[in-house]
Structures are given as structure tokens and as C-alpha cells.
Amino acid sequence: QVQLVQSGAEIKKPGASVRVSCKASGFTFNTYDIIWVRQAPGQGLEWVGLMSPHSGNTGFALKFQGRVTLTRDTSLTTAYMELSRLKSEDTAVYFCAREAFYGSGNGMDVWGQGTTVTVSS
Amino acid sequence: SYELSQPPSVSVSPGQTASITCSGDRLGNKYASWYQHKPGQSPVLVIHHDSQRPSGIPERFSGSNSGNTATLTISGTQAVDEADYYCQAWDSSTGVFGAGTKVTVL
């Protein structure tokens, strides 16, 4: 069935980097954009960035620019988010989601199960 | 940067109508999507293209978007609808979420 399956929970120290994967199945990977969203404890949803698997184009929220890298391996139908120079404020659940042609109003209709990233010394 | 504003909370009695607003500069010129999010679960898309329901979303969910305000309406609210609701729009190639509205079914 159509699904996005994310990698498992991570515990990292401040200053380190973390990479979260998002494996797509049940649909044509290249025809959907992959969006990354996070939710810190007690906070709302926060948009992190997007990648278009077909073109490799990326976009990021201003606060993450320079710290987040989005990549994909089309042969594995997997998208990756790497966040560097981690701070305690990066502790959150990170979600990947798909949207057909971001900005066209289609909405993020399939979501991964979420990956908990804990940043603690 | 573009911002979307939502009321922090809305309370509704079972069977009544809940309306959640989302305000942003000329939001009516963009498409608004709405997501339902329950604790420990992944968000669920309930409205796209301002007013369209994805397959499997009950008819009691409806949406509109005009001027500076998008609205999500839940008619005949049920206990199962208790959740946080987020509006979302795109500002160029950047996505923006509202801060979320907690819907409590009393």
C-alpha cells in the first residue's frame, strides 16, 4: 500500500548531526514532492523543507537554511533529511510527507510515522 | 516571512458546529490545506484546495477561503473530532503552518 516509513529514534549530543530517512512505497516516487515537518514537545507543526525527487530541487524554511540538507536516492525510493549543529531546541518528532506538486493546493496526503530526535548532553 | 494566525482553542458541544479560522495576508489568493493531528499520531489531511475533502474524510468537514481568511467547519461535531487542527499554505516555495487550534468537544 501507499506509505512512507521513517527510520528509528535517534539520541544525539549538541553539535552533532542526525540523518532521518523516509522510504516510499506503493507509489511513483518521482511524481511527488517530499516535505519535512517537525513538532517539538508541546509545540505546533513546523515546516522544515521540501525536496522534489524528480529534479532534486529543494526549499527550506529560513531558520533551517545552512543547517539542513535534503537528499534522495531514487533507486531506493528514499528521501533523507540531515540536520547539523544540533541544539537542544531541535528535540522534536520529525515527519516526512508527500505532496503532488507543492504549492498547487493538493496537500500532504500521506505521512510517515514520525522519527523522534532527542538532543541532549 | 508569511504568517498564518489561528485561535488557540475552540470548544464545541457534541452535534454542534465548530468553526476554525486561519488568517493571513491575501490568503484567499493562495490555496489553504487543513490537517487534523491527534497526540502520538501522524497528521491527517482533511481539506485541500481550500474546500476539497480527500477520500475517506467525513462530509462533516468543509472548508472555505476568501479575502484574508480560510475557515474549517466541522458540522455535527463528534467526540472523535477532538484534536489539534492546523491550516497550511505556500508562500513561494516555502510552506507555512498556522500555530494550530485545539478543538475540545465538551
Side-chain angles (χ1 to χ4, degrees), chain B residues 19-105:
Chain B
S19 293
I20 306 164
T21 57
C22 174
S23 299
D25 183 45
R26 286 177 261 189
L27 180 56
N29 291 344
K30 308 175 187 293
Y31 281 120
S33 299
W34 290 90
Y35 299 87
Q36 177 192 70
H37 193 203
K38 296 181 180 180
Q41 299 183 20
S42 299
V44 174
L45 177 68
V46 295
I47 292 289
H48 63 90
H49 285 108
D50 297 335
S51 61
Q52 303 302 303
R53 278 180 293 104
S55 172
I57 299 302
E59 290 184 11
R60 63 180 180 273
F61 288 89
S62 62
S64 64
N65 185 16
S66 180
N68 294 321
T69 304
T71 303
L72 174 69
T73 302
I74 312 173
S75 304
T77 306
Q78 300 180 7
V80 71
D81 300 328
E82 189 162 284
D84 295 322
Y85 291 83
Y86 296 87
C87 60
Q88 186 261 326
W90 289 87
D91 181 39
S92 186
S93 60
T94 301
V96 180
F97 283 102
T101 298
K102 182 174 184 62
V103 171
T104 301
V105 183

Side-chain angles (χ1 to χ4, degrees), chain A:
Chain A
Q1 73 274 30
V2 174
Q3 60 180 356
L4 296 169
V5 178
Q6 300 182 223
S7 48
E10 302 267 9
I11 301 175
K12 296 291 184 181
K13 294 190 181 304
S17 297
V18 68
R19 190 174 84 154
V20 178
S21 66
C22 174
K23 165 75 174 174
S25 61
F27 64 96
T28 304
F29 184 60
N30 281 353
T31 61
Y32 288 85
D33 300 315
I34 299 295
I35 290 99
W36 292 88
V37 175
R38 77 177 187 181
Q39 184 178 42
Q43 304 297 308
L45 299 178
E46 182 175 30
W47 194 88
V48 176
L50 74 92
M51 151 155 286
S52 291
H54 175 68
S55 64
N57 289 342
T58 55
F60 309 99
L62 202 59
K63 69 180 287 185
F64 298 107
Q65 289 194 20
R67 282 210 302 141
V68 66
T69 303
L70 302 181
T71 56
R72 90 288 193 201
D73 186 328
T74 53
S75 66
L76 297 178
T77 65
T78 300
Y80 303 92
M81 181 204 69
E82 182 169 0
L83 187 61
S84 62
R85 303 193 300 278
L86 289 168
K87 314 169 214 180
S88 58
E89 307 91 271
D90 294 318
T91 294
V93 178
Y94 289 77
F95 296 97
C96 63
R98 76 170 195 179
E99 178 164 354
F101 307 111
Y102 77 86
S104 61
N106 292 307
M108 291 170 260
D109 66 337
V110 177
W111 291 69
Q113 82 275 22
T115 297
T116 299
V117 174
T118 303
V119 182
S120 174
S121 55

